[in-house]
Amino acid sequence: MRKNVKLLSTISIAAALAGGAVTALNNDSSTSTFSTVEAASITLPSGYTKSAIIKWNQTGKASKALINASKKGMKENINSEAGNDNSLVNVTKLTNSQKVELSEYTLSLINSARNQLGKQSWTYKTGALHFADRVANEYYDHNRSCWDADHYVPGIERAAKASGLNSRVGQVYEDEAGLPISSEFHTNIRTMSALKNQIYFNVKQMLFGGFSGSDSQMNDSSRYTEWEHAGDLLGCRTKNYDAKTKYFGVSFSGLKDDPSKISVHMMGVAKRYIQNYKKFNH
């Protein structure tokens, strides 16, 4: 997203909750859809509406109802359905199957919110994951992160070109966050369940006003400042121009001199930006 908004937090993440997201692969192994049974989800409170999100994206003005709904969304969405996978992973050196699992988990959260607003689901795509990996590599190679002032646009553009995407449209692909840093998790090592819990928190931040802070600050209206990420994830930036659906993948990058700062690269690709399908699907 174009605006200089970074989603960071230092709050402690709760222990993994029982129950996990259930996914079902369709016949095309490069894409996936989701079962509604036990899927991870986020509930949009009353007052959180398409019109309110579009209004903010068009005018920068948030209604009191939207701010209050975002507070409620942050406080009441606590069941991450992250499962109890306590296997330790290096977030920046995940296996492909782990990255697919995390992409699908993240998508289940995004799609649960989209569906509540009557929006078509996004779809996991191998090409989108490869694009996310290329973006993550660009950030790492140039020692950039979500703690910088803005997205690393030159790197995103190079990754887009390598993925067969339009690289001349600016930063239209990435929603970026930082994994929460706590006394328990302050390196690039997490359990898979803890990682899902943190992604759950990141998606909540994106949907609910770009909240950044601790649990005790969730009632502070000044902590809710932007809904541009929400506008992109939910297709509510404009009334007519937003893509009906996107392909999606998520990857992670660290800093060479600071293993505590892990950037989360959530990449959404609208079909209109795919210029070379063979390259994108490779």
Side-chain angles (χ1 to χ4, degrees):
M1 296 296 93
R2 294 185 182 89
K3 291 196 176 180
N4 181 7
V5 177
K6 295 301 167 188
L7 301 175
L8 313 171
S9 177
T10 56
I11 75 163
S12 297
I13 300 299
L17 299 172
V22 175
T23 62
L25 294 178
N26 62 19
N27 291 330
D28 180 358
S29 62
S30 70
T31 63
S32 66
T33 54
F34 301 92
S35 166
T36 58
V37 180
E38 297 289 340
S41 64
I42 290 176
T43 300
L44 303 180
S46 174
Y48 192 98
T49 64
K50 286 188 289 187
S51 60
I53 301 300
I54 291 172
K55 178 182 177 181
W56 187 91
N57 277 270
Q58 295 297 300
T59 69
K61 296 179 180 179
S63 65
K64 187 175 181 179
L66 177 59
I67 294 172
N68 288 337
S70 294
K71 292 179 185 178
K72 190 175 182 181
M74 284 301 303
K75 290 185 292 185
E76 294 187 356
N77 283 284
I78 57 175
N79 187 358
S80 65
E81 295 290 355
N84 55 0
D85 184 349
N86 292 319
S87 55
L88 289 173
V89 297
N90 182 330
V91 180
T92 60
K93 295 182 179 180
L94 297 167
T95 66
N96 184 71
S97 63
Q98 288 167 339
K99 284 185 282 191
V100 171
E101 179 181 345
L102 292 167
S103 293
E104 293 180 334
Y105 173 79
T106 308
L107 256 188
S108 69
L109 301 173
I110 295 169
N111 285 338
S112 70
R114 287 180 61 85
N115 296 161
Q116 289 169 67
L117 295 183
K119 295 285 186 172
Q120 185 177 336
S121 293
W122 285 4
T123 306
Y124 166 76
K125 188 78 169 177
T126 299
L129 177 57
H130 290 168
F131 177 35
D133 283 341
R134 290 186 175 109
V135 169
N137 288 337
E138 286 283 349
Y139 271 79
Y140 178 78
D141 290 344
H142 294 86
N143 212 35
R144 302 295 295 267
S145 77
C146 67
W147 277 261
D148 296 327
D150 207 349
H151 298 266
Y152 182 43
V153 178
I156 295 171
E157 290 174 341
R158 286 191 293 269
K161 185 175 182 179
S163 296
L165 305 176
N166 191 333
S167 61
R168 299 180 299 277
V169 290
Q171 200 318 81
V172 298
Y173 300 108
E174 180 181 66
D175 286 292
E176 186 186 13
L179 290 185
I181 300 170
S182 68
S183 59
E184 184 178 5
F185 301 113
H186 51 84
T187 68
N188 51 16
I189 305 299
R190 307 281 193 284
T191 67
M192 280 293 284
S193 292
L195 182 50
K196 287 180 180 179
N197 267 310
Q198 294 194 331
I199 291 172
Y200 180 80
F201 183 82
N202 284 151
V203 176
K204 285 202 304 179
Q205 287 179 293
M206 289 182 173
L207 294 178
F208 300 127
F211 172 81
S212 178
S214 63
D215 289 348
S216 64
Q217 295 168 315
M218 286 185 181
N219 282 321
D220 183 352
S221 296
S222 68
R223 295 279 174 173
Y224 301 82
T225 59
E226 64 86 18
W227 287 263
E228 186 175 13
H229 291 88
D232 182 59
L233 295 178
L234 300 175
C236 293
R237 297 190 67 193
T238 68
K239 289 185 178 180
N240 301 309
Y241 188 68
D242 293 286
K244 291 183 178 180
T245 186
K246 291 184 180 182
Y247 295 129
F248 181 84
V250 64
S251 192
F252 307 85
S253 67
L255 287 172
K256 296 177 181 180
D257 59 351
D258 190 348
S260 71
K261 292 183 176 179
I262 305 296
S263 299
V264 185
H265 309 281
M266 301 183 189
M267 309 306 294
V269 179
K271 292 180 180 180
R272 60 175 173 252
Y273 295 129
I274 303 175
Q275 296 182 325
N276 186 326
Y277 272 90
K278 184 176 181 180
K279 208 171 183 180
F280 178 64
N281 291 324
H282 179 68

